């Protein structure tokens, strides 16, 4: 409701990021209040990850950009010519339990690309950092109604006509590699591929989970 009321095609970067961040903070409060109302029914906490994206023209120079805001491991990808140029950095446990030999970005880059090839299998299980990152890839360090103050991540991207901004829940990107995601152009194809992978007991990425994919075309 907040986005519908205040979102505009022409917005400054600061205004668009503030609006997206406040929307997620309001959502955090709403989920907390809803949980309190349902506390006699629900035995476990209500929580969710989230990612938002909006496309704008910057009135300062008429450039096109995408504004992003996220909490947890719901993720945004910037795709051009079937290549991933950028992905948002998850609120992963590596932020609080850093590995010695890799940055958070290096660990996530590995998780996005590793597959079921013999080389990838060897890499995962001969390096402690990568092995732990792969084992803990379902663990997150932040979510809406996570029990602490909601810190929202924000970023912006310069975009061009023909670019794609893809938003996914972890049921999509845990099952599919970065290369696979870049090649699949529609939400329907992404969902079909992720569902198929989730049922493949022989693939190390296989994972049954909620699956959401939203594709924004510039």
């Amino acid at each position: 409701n907040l986005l519908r009321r205040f979102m505009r095609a022409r917005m400054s970067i600061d205004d668009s990021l503030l609006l997206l961040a406040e929307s997620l903070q309001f959502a955090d409060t709403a989920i907390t209040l809803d949980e309190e109302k349902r506390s006699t029914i629900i035995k476990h906490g209500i929580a969710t990850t989230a990612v938002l994206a909006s496309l704008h023209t910057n009135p300062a120079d008429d450039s096109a950009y995408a504004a992003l805001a996220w909490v947890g491991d719901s993720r945004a990808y910037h795709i051009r010519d079937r290549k991933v140029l950028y992905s948002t950095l998850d609120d992963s446990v590596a932020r609080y339990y850093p590995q010695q030999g890799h940055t958070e970005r290096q660990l996530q880059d590995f998780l996005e690309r590793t597959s079921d090839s013999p080389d990838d299998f060897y890499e995962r299980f001969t390096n402690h950092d990568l092995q732990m990152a792969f084992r803990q890839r379902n663990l997150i360090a932040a979510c809406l109604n996570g029990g602490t103050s909601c810190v929202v991540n924000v970023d912006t991207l310069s975009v061009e006509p023909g670019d794609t901004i893809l938003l996914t829940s972890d049921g999509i990107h845990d099952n599919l590699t970065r290369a696979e995601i870049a090649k699949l152009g529609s939400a329907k194809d992404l969902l079909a591929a992720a569902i198929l992978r989730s049922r493949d007991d022989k693939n190390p990425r296989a994972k049954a989970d909620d699956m959401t994919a939203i594709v924004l075309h510039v």
Side-chain angles (χ1 to χ4, degrees), residues 196-211:
L196 185 64
R197 175 63 52 70
S198 72
R199 297 170 178 169
D200 182 0
D201 295 336
K202 296 181 180 179
N203 193 297
R205 296 189 71 99
K207 171 193 173 189
D209 203 346
D210 60 288
M211 297 180 183

Side-chain angles (χ1 to χ4, degrees), residues 7 23 29-30 48 93 96 103 122 149 157 159 167 178 193 198 209:
M7 187 67 72
S23 297
T29 301
T48 186
V93 294
Y96 297 96
T103 65
Y122 179 82
S149 59
L157 304 169
V159 294
L167 309 180
R178 177 193 296 165
S198 72
D209 203 346

Side-chain angles (χ1 to χ4, degrees), residues 16-25 48-53 66-76 86-92 95-96 104-105 108 140-144 149-156:
S16 62
L17 292 180
L18 179 62
L19 181 57
L20 292 182
E22 286 188 340
S23 297
L24 288 181
Q25 288 167 343
T48 186
T49 65
V51 60
L52 298 175
L68 307 172
W70 71 98
V71 177
D73 62 353
S74 287
R75 194 179 293 168
Y86 165 94
S87 61
T88 52
L89 186 61
D90 299 345
D91 287 311
S92 71
R95 183 164 301 176
Y96 297 96
E104 286 180 75
R105 174 56 71 182
Q108 183 168 310
I140 55 174
C143 59
L144 300 184
S149 59
C150 180
V151 177
V152 178
N153 307 287
V154 295
D155 205 352
T156 59

Side-chain angles (χ1 to χ4, degrees), residues 187-198:
K188 182 179 179 181
D189 290 342
L190 285 161
L191 289 166
I195 290 170
L196 185 64
R197 175 63 52 70
S198 72

